[in-house]
Amino acid sequence: MDANSLLLRNLSTSPPSPLLFFNFTLPLPTSHCHFNSNKPLKQFNPATASGNSVAVVRRCVAGKEVEIILEGMPNEYYDDEWQAQQKEKAKELERQRQLEDEEEERKIEEYREIGTRLKGYPQEDVSKAKKLISSFIRAAEEVEERIEEAAEKGELNELVLMVIWNRLDLARRDEEKDVIRSLDLLYRRVETEILKREATPAMRLLNDLLNMHDGFNDEGWLKDCKKLMIATFPREDPFSILVPTGFDIDKHEGPIRPPPDAEDVLLRVDFVREVDELLQEVRAEQNEEADAQGLDPESIANKLKQQEKQRTIHKVEALLELAVNLKV
């Protein structure tokens, strides 16, 4: 038998150590700690407190309020004025938190309201309108041609304006200035094109005449407008009605063209009447508007808008006078 086997055998046959049966118990203390309420507590005076960090706990003993010093607390902890300031700060923070929560709730409600504007429209039409607007944005410098092309196809409608307005609202709430400027111009351009398609021939001609102005040469502009009016309005002399243009009355020969479609003809008298009604309506609205006062940005912007509107009114008045005195 080797040494290892002999050692294992001796260990297995040896009696257990008496330490395994020893009871490790400690006697409990026979006395308990008691707080003697009859013993006077040390009174604390903040005025005589040392520079060490201490604090007090107020307790009522025998009907009297006493203060117990607590070590490790700042001196301000038991200062009534400091406590009042902390309470006011806590109230102010709570008010700010409530205001922030209300503002956040208001923004969420606005976003929810924007998202529900298009629920009344068919989803397929909304998707087409969004794709059309995306094509306008991607067109970049060719956006004018793209808008006119869409107008000719009849793709511009109220839904397209609503989708642009929704995106503009979101950009305003997110304070994206460049996006706001671009979408605002796009909205105005699409709206103008829609109004142009829905306007009467007189209003379309008026819009074309106003767009011909370059902002500098008024005389040259009026000459160009006169040429366009002569080319647009039909001749009004009785002879032209009896004898069409190009017809030889002596030989009774010449081309006889059928009368143009009544819907495409714009008479000078109709143009004068509609423009005069427009001016009367605009003047009535202008009289109701008060002149902008003050030097704040909003007042200055309103004043500039009124000045621009007044310049446009003067141009329309000049066109009306030109149409009244025009001989065709």
Side-chain angles (χ1 to χ4, degrees):
M1 182 179 297
D2 57 358
N4 293 333
S5 301
L6 182 60
L7 179 60
L8 291 174
R9 182 177 180 181
N10 292 334
L11 289 175
S12 61
T13 57
S14 60
S17 174
L19 293 176
L20 297 177
F21 301 97
F22 186 79
N23 187 8
F24 290 96
T25 57
L26 296 176
L28 294 174
T30 57
S31 62
H32 300 279
C33 296
H34 297 279
F35 178 76
N36 188 2
S37 61
N38 296 325
K39 185 179 180 179
L41 297 174
K42 182 180 179 181
Q43 302 292 327
F44 179 78
N45 186 5
T48 61
S50 61
N52 298 330
S53 297
V54 295
V56 295
V57 175
R58 295 181 179 180
R59 296 186 60 181
C60 184
V61 178
K64 297 181 180 180
E65 184 176 323
V66 296
E67 296 178 343
I68 304 174
I69 300 176
L70 296 179
E71 298 290 341
M73 301 298 291
N75 294 336
E76 296 86 357
Y77 186 78
Y78 47 82
D79 188 356
D80 293 339
E81 183 178 356
W82 182 82
Q83 293 284 353
Q85 292 177 357
Q86 297 305 310
K87 290 180 180 179
E88 288 298 327
K89 289 181 180 179
K91 291 180 181 179
E92 182 65 24
L93 291 175
E94 181 65 19
R95 284 194 294 267
Q96 292 180 0
R97 187 187 64 81
Q98 291 180 356
L99 292 176
E100 291 176 357
D101 292 344
E102 292 175 359
E103 180 68 16
E104 186 69 20
E105 186 65 25
R106 184 185 64 81
K107 289 183 178 180
I108 293 174
E109 188 63 27
E110 289 178 353
Y111 285 124
R112 186 180 295 111
E113 189 268 337
I114 293 174
T116 57
R117 289 177 184 172
L118 302 176
K119 283 190 174 181
Y121 297 92
Q123 190 63 30
E124 183 178 357
D125 295 343
V126 174
S127 179
K128 290 181 180 179
K130 290 181 178 180
K131 291 180 181 179
L132 180 62
I133 295 170
S134 298
S135 67
F136 291 161
I137 297 174
R138 292 193 303 268
E141 297 179 356
E142 300 177 356
V143 63
E144 290 284 342
E145 293 79 3
R146 184 69 185 88
I147 291 175
E148 293 177 358
E149 180 183 351
E152 293 176 358
K153 294 180 180 179
E155 297 176 347
L156 300 183
N157 49 34
E158 180 186 358
L159 179 57
V160 175
L161 287 177
M162 182 65 69
V163 174
I164 299 176
W165 186 260
N166 275 9
R167 292 191 178 184
L168 184 58
D169 263 357
L170 292 175
R172 285 171 177 167
R173 282 160 177 76
D174 295 338
E175 298 182 355
E176 299 177 358
K177 295 182 179 180
D178 294 337
V179 178
I180 292 172
R181 189 181 302 108
S182 301
L183 290 177
D184 184 64
L185 292 175
L186 179 62
Y187 182 89
R188 293 176 183 274
R189 183 63 185 87
V190 173
E191 183 183 30
T192 301
E193 193 66 28
I194 293 176
L195 294 176
K196 181 180 177 181
R197 300 289 173 174
E198 297 177 353
T200 62
M203 292 296 101
R204 288 200 295 268
L205 176 60
L206 178 62
N207 183 69
D208 294 339
L209 294 173
L210 291 174
N211 290 334
M212 291 170 59
H213 196 283
D214 58 359
F216 301 99
N217 189 1
D218 292 341
E219 294 182 1
W221 170 64
L222 289 175
K223 290 180 180 179
D224 295 337
C225 291
K226 183 177 181 179
K227 293 179 182 179
L228 181 58
M229 287 182 180
I230 293 175
T232 303
F233 300 142
R235 297 181 62 182
E236 298 177 354
D237 58 287
F239 186 78
S240 63
I241 298 176
L242 297 175
V243 182
T245 303
F247 184 79
D248 190 348
I249 192 172
D250 296 329
K251 298 181 180 180
H252 298 280
E253 296 178 355
I256 300 179
R257 300 181 180 86
D261 191 0
E263 295 182 357
D264 297 331
V265 174
L266 175 61
L267 299 178
R268 183 173 64 95
V269 63
D270 293 335
F271 178 80
V272 171
R273 175 178 54 79
E274 291 191 32
V275 172
D276 183 61
E277 291 177 355
L278 177 64
L279 278 175
Q280 292 179 5
E281 182 180 351
V282 172
R283 287 167 182 165
E285 294 178 356
Q286 191 176 21
N287 292 333
E288 295 177 358
E289 295 178 357
D291 294 336
Q293 302 293 335
L295 298 177
D296 56 289
E298 185 176 358
S299 299
I300 294 175
N302 291 333
K303 188 174 182 179
L304 292 175
K305 288 180 180 179
Q306 291 179 4
Q307 292 176 357
E308 181 65 25
K309 189 175 182 180
Q310 191 64 35
R311 285 193 291 267
T312 304
I313 291 175
H314 291 331
K315 294 177 185 177
V316 175
E317 290 174 347
L319 291 174
L320 178 61
E321 183 179 359
L322 179 63
V324 169
N325 299 323
L326 184 66
K327 294 180 180 180
V328 293

